[in-house]
Amino acid sequence: MKNVIILGSTGSIGTQTLEVIEKLDNFNVLALACGNNISLLKEQIKKFNPKYVCIENPEHKNNIKQDFPNIKVLSGSDGLLELASIKECDIFVVATSGIVSVKAVLKAIENKKTIALANKETLVMAGDIVMKKAKENNVNIIPIDSEHSAILQCMQTQDNKLAQRLWITASGGPFLNNTREEMENFNAKDALNHPRWAMGKKITIDCATLVNKGLEVIEAHHLYNFDYNNIKVVIHPQSIVHSFVEFIDGSFLAQMGVPSMHIPIQYALTYPERFNGIKTNSFNIYNQNLQFLEPDFKKFPLLKLTIECGKQGGIMPVVLNAANEVAVYKFIKGEINFLDIEKIIFKEIEKTTNIKNPTLDEIFALDEDIRRRLA
Ligand code: MG
């Protein structure tokens, strides 16, 4: 029996993780953590009977205890750290958004838990620190993102040294075939209408700007210890190939399937095995017209900027990530135009002087400062 803790259980990845666990034998939900969606959390408690829950706001503690007196109810970031220290935990699923879980991830690594990572900020903001700690503790960080899961699946039967290039596929987002003049006038509803993947709002906008793909390049750099020059982005509007690995003999291995987050989630839980649990609709291999296109960095300058920030390292990815998040939420609220997102980010990057090897405290302070200033 594998005991699983899920941070972010009421979000998009969290709920899908529970759907996967329902279909798998031998997986037990040990703890659930969420923000403030208490009614959904209660449904999840009824169904999965965890020993612990953790909620953001301590004011809701009594509300949960009244209905479920036998559960240990924790709260806030101290609660997350406590979850990261539970002995019986085997897999620590990190499906929160933002930076709230970074310290808990580091604690779970110290406690030698396998990390199934869906949260982008962990590696984008603190990739050097997190990967160093994982290596020291001999802990596996298994990606839940479809692209990084595809790379992991392609590399699994190979010696990693035989891989020479990673090709990360991108759908191109909803504006792939629009001009920049047209993009100027798009509102949040247009941008939230993603052609292939159903995801949370923030990440869907990040797909429209292609920032998401740049962040995934940064994550791939950390996860697979690949030089940025050997990580390529390829636009693949059909989202059937979830990424490629190119090997030293020129062979490409791809992982394919209909787009569904259930598969990378399940693979992260069962890694290195593949189980007969949840299934996607079978992919019809006949008469597919799969395209692979070069990204247009002029039309999507944030893709280039995000990768450039990754290459520079230090605090640059932190600044980019924080400025992006503030700008995206402003756009979702209708306060700014679509192309204003990039104006805000470029302005912030231009005035930043890089600092190499920031500490975790410096990263958090900087992140908070940018958010406060740009809000
Ligand atoms: Mg992805």
Side-chain angles (χ1 to χ4, degrees):
M1 188 61 85
K2 293 255 190 210
N3 282 314
V4 183
I5 291 179
I6 304 173
L7 309 192
S9 71
T10 56
S12 170
I13 297 291
T15 51
Q16 293 182 80
T17 303
L18 289 169
E19 286 161 15
V20 169
I21 288 175
E22 252 190 295
K23 297 277 183 190
L24 288 171
D25 301 326
N26 305 326
F27 281 80
N28 173 52
V29 176
L30 182 63
L32 296 171
C34 73
N36 293 310
N37 192 344
I38 303 301
S39 56
L40 179 54
L41 177 67
K42 282 186 177 180
E43 283 175 37
Q44 293 178 338
I45 295 171
K46 272 184 209 147
K47 202 161 183 181
F48 294 95
N49 194 26
K51 262 191 178 168
Y52 309 80
V53 296
C54 179
I55 50 173
E56 193 177 330
N57 185 343
E59 282 173 24
H60 297 303
K61 268 181 158 180
N62 281 338
N63 178 354
I64 295 171
K65 277 184 184 159
Q66 273 169 3
D67 290 5
F68 305 99
N70 297 325
I71 288 187
K72 180 152 189 197
V73 184
L74 307 165
S75 67
S77 44
D78 287 345
L80 294 180
L81 289 176
E82 214 175 316
L83 291 186
S85 307
I86 297 174
K87 267 219 166 68
E88 311 110 276
C89 167
D90 299 297
I91 305 176
F92 200 69
V93 177
V94 185
T96 40
S97 56
I99 60 164
V100 51
S101 54
V102 174
K103 284 184 180 164
V105 171
L106 288 168
K107 178 61 96 187
I109 292 172
E110 280 168 21
N111 291 321
K112 315 237 187 283
K113 311 298 180 196
T114 296
I115 309 290
L117 187 65
N119 172 272
K120 289 229 148 83
E121 286 79 1
T122 308
L123 292 179
V124 168
M125 296 176 64
D128 291 331
I129 296 169
V130 170
M131 293 312 292
K132 184 167 173 259
K133 184 149 273 190
K135 204 171 171 193
E136 284 165 4
N137 288 280
N138 202 14
V139 159
N140 272 332
I141 300 197
I142 316 291
I144 281 184
D145 213 351
S146 62
E147 295 80 1
H148 306 96
S149 176
I151 291 166
L152 184 66
Q153 292 177 54
C154 292
M155 296 231 260
Q156 206 197 315
T157 55
Q158 306 284 331
D159 179 347
N160 282 9
K161 291 191 200 80
L162 300 179
Q164 65 171 6
R165 225 171 264 138
L166 307 179
W167 292 84
I168 299 182
T169 52
S171 71
F175 303 155
L176 178 62
N177 298 314
N178 292 104
T179 63
R180 283 182 61 85
E181 288 69 37
E182 288 168 328
M183 282 187 215
E184 181 75 59
N185 298 314
F186 285 136
N187 59 29
K189 203 172 149 235
D190 300 314
L192 288 171
N193 188 15
H194 194 279
R196 302 282 165 201
W197 296 90
M199 300 172 293
K201 278 185 184 175
K202 157 79 173 37
I203 186 171
T204 305
I205 303 300
D206 287 344
C207 288
T209 59
L210 294 191
V211 163
N212 182 54
K213 210 46 58 178
L215 298 178
E216 289 180 355
V217 168
I218 297 175
E219 290 180 286
H221 160 78
H222 289 296
L223 281 167
Y224 301 111
N225 194 20
F226 259 67
D227 189 281
Y228 280 100
N229 294 323
N230 295 323
I231 306 173
K232 303 286 179 194
V233 173
V234 51
I235 305 293
H236 170 46
Q238 295 76 24
S239 297
I240 294 298
V241 172
H242 301 311
S243 281
F244 300 95
V245 178
E246 181 184 348
F247 290 89
I248 50 168
D249 60 355
S251 296
F252 280 60
L253 295 191
Q255 188 261 337
M256 303 166 75
V258 293
S260 159
M261 285 312 293
H262 285 132
I263 300 307
I265 292 168
Q266 181 163 268
Y267 191 74
L269 294 177
T270 64
Y271 174 85
E273 293 178 77
R274 197 181 289 279
F275 283 9
N276 177 14
I278 210 160
K279 286 193 181 80
T280 57
N281 295 330
S282 175
F283 164 55
N284 176 13
I285 201 154
Y286 295 120
N287 301 319
Q288 293 280 346
N289 188 7
L290 301 184
Q291 295 169 292
F292 301 99
L293 312 165
E294 216 175 317
D296 185 341
F297 290 107
K298 279 212 178 85
K299 198 161 104 179
F300 297 102
L302 284 175
L303 173 61
K304 193 171 182 185
L305 183 73
T306 307
I307 297 172
E308 195 47 48
C309 286
K311 279 184 189 169
Q312 288 174 24
I315 61 168
M316 301 314 284
V318 181
V319 175
L320 178 120
N321 179 71
N324 178 58
E325 195 170 317
V326 175
V328 166
Y329 281 110
K330 281 188 173 195
F331 173 67
I332 291 172
K333 282 190 269 176
E335 292 171 13
I336 59 171
N337 289 331
F338 183 70
L339 294 183
D340 291 337
I341 297 174
E342 61 187 51
K343 284 179 202 146
I344 291 174
I345 299 171
F346 268 94
K347 202 172 148 199
E348 198 58 33
I349 292 294
E350 270 158 26
K351 67 179 183 195
T352 301
T353 310
N354 200 4
I355 301 168
K356 289 283 176 190
N357 302 315
T359 65
L360 203 56
D361 287 338
E362 285 169 338
I363 290 171
F364 283 144
L366 176 65
D367 177 77
E368 204 184 309
D369 173 61
I370 295 167
R371 281 165 205 276
R372 197 180 324 112
R373 222 162 11 80
L374 295 182

